[in-house]
Amino acid sequence: MKQLKTLLVDDEYSAIEGLAIRLEAFSQIEIVGYARNVADALALISKTEPDLIFLDIEMPGQSGFELIKQLQPETCPAIIFVTAFHQYAVQAFEVRALDYLLKPVKKERLAEAIARVAVNLDIGSSKQHMLEVADIIQTGDATGAVDTAPAYRIEQEKLVIQDGHHPAQLIPYREIVWIDAAGDYMCVHTSTETFVMRARMKSLINDVLPDGFLRIHKSTIVNLQYVVKLEPLMNSEYNLVLTNQKSLKVSRTYSRQLKLSLSGDKTG
């Protein structure tokens, strides 16, 4: 791939210096500038027209997201966020960031992120990517006011799994068959793969998963669209059979609500 003109934006000099040293291992990266705030970054973007920005989020004055809002379609480069915080992952991917790295940045994750840039910013797709970013972050009304809330929000359609060590996984809810607990982690099962995420069962079912997911055991959540049948056991318990023939135990605590949900009665 061609060399990528790259800008590093972070308010901490040590973070810029450390990332620059790591990037020396990648011949395709040409660092064209450093900025420690949004104003300086905008000036450098205008001057150097970078292909890629490694962008911090929390900075004094204006954040990394506020920098993106001020970019024009023809100058909008690929964005890789580099931050110490987990909680911005969903928002980052909503503005079409190519990756989301947690500090301190590990060499393996950096290599994965740069490989992702190589795939997404070839000559044919680069300009389209820029336009997609612009469509999301710069939709204004007749008065010129900017609406920063995207019409499409990732967490409404997909489960975001981000552990800081691997590329974020975006799993469409419709593809999730069931979820079960494994210690402090959740195993998210689709028909073909299993993904592991750190989360609490209660938080998933109450705050994250959409309608159609139901808890059937203290350690199990199921997507009702994949349920084939219930097989009664003793003591008001059941075996639940899924379309892939997987059998899951339904405890007494959750059996009544499951039967009501399958019958279409959600009032219980």
Side-chain angles (χ1 to χ4, degrees):
M1 64 176 292
K2 69 171 186 176
Q3 276 204 314
L4 297 172
K5 294 189 293 182
T6 303
L7 180 64
L8 310 186
V9 181
D10 197 306
D11 65 304
E12 296 181 4
Y13 178 78
S14 60
I16 288 178
E17 185 178 42
L19 182 56
I21 291 172
R22 288 173 174 81
L23 288 171
E24 289 176 356
F26 300 92
S27 59
Q28 63 269 51
I29 298 295
E30 176 193 2
I31 298 176
V32 296
Y34 311 90
R36 298 180 65 182
N37 56 61
V38 169
D40 289 348
L42 288 170
L44 278 171
I45 290 169
S46 178
K47 179 180 179 180
T48 64
E49 297 185 354
D51 303 298
L52 171 64
I53 299 179
F54 285 91
L55 180 60
D56 189 19
I57 293 179
E58 290 196 356
M59 296 182 289
Q62 293 181 298
S63 71
F65 291 118
E66 290 170 309
L67 169 63
I68 295 176
K69 293 175 191 175
Q70 299 178 62
L71 298 179
Q72 299 300 315
E74 63 273 13
T75 59
C76 187
I79 302 293
I80 295 176
F81 281 107
V82 184
T83 177
F85 304 96
H86 289 81
Q87 64 264 33
Y88 299 113
V90 169
Q91 190 176 354
F93 287 105
E94 284 173 353
V95 297
R96 298 296 194 268
L98 290 186
D99 213 331
Y100 188 90
L101 306 181
L102 289 177
K103 299 176 182 178
V105 179
K106 298 183 181 299
K107 183 177 179 180
E108 295 79 8
R109 280 292 289 115
L110 189 58
E112 291 171 355
I114 293 172
R116 183 171 293 186
V117 175
V119 170
N120 285 274
L121 290 190
D122 57 48
I123 294 174
S125 65
S126 178
K127 192 170 185 67
Q128 180 61 36
H129 170 80
M130 294 176 185
L131 293 174
E132 288 176 355
V133 173
D135 286 343
I136 291 173
I137 63 177
Q138 296 192 9
T139 54
D141 61 22
T143 66
V146 175
D147 179 8
T148 59
Y152 169 76
R153 295 184 62 82
I154 285 178
E155 73 269 26
Q156 291 179 355
E157 300 290 339
K158 300 178 182 181
L159 178 65
V160 179
I161 299 177
Q162 170 63 265
D163 64 7
H165 303 293
H166 303 90
Q169 302 281 352
L170 305 178
I171 316 301
Y173 292 121
R174 66 180 181 276
E175 296 181 6
I176 298 172
V177 182
W178 87 98
I179 302 171
D180 54 13
D184 293 332
Y185 293 84
M186 296 290 111
C187 294
V188 180
H189 305 275
T190 69
S191 58
T192 58
E193 296 182 79
T194 296
F195 303 88
V196 178
M197 69 182 299
R198 193 175 184 89
R200 293 181 178 275
M201 181 74 67
K202 184 177 181 180
S203 176
L204 272 182
I205 198 66
N206 290 343
D207 305 324
V208 178
L209 296 172
D211 292 344
F213 286 85
L214 192 69
R215 194 168 183 174
I216 62 169
H217 192 274
K218 66 179 181 180
S219 60
T220 311
I221 296 171
V222 68
N223 186 340
L224 295 178
Q225 71 178 3
Y226 291 97
V227 175
V228 174
K229 61 180 176 179
L230 287 177
E231 299 173 337
L233 302 173
M234 297 177 61
N235 300 321
S236 298
E237 294 184 334
Y238 293 84
N239 270 336
L240 180 149
V241 181
L242 302 173
T243 53
N244 61 1
Q245 302 305 306
K246 173 71 177 179
S247 180
L248 301 172
K249 186 175 181 179
V250 182
S251 69
R252 291 181 59 187
T253 304
Y254 301 100
S255 62
R256 183 172 182 270
Q257 185 58 52
L258 174 62
K259 289 187 290 183
L260 289 171
S261 297
L262 291 175
S263 69
D265 184 353
K266 304 292 181 63
T267 62

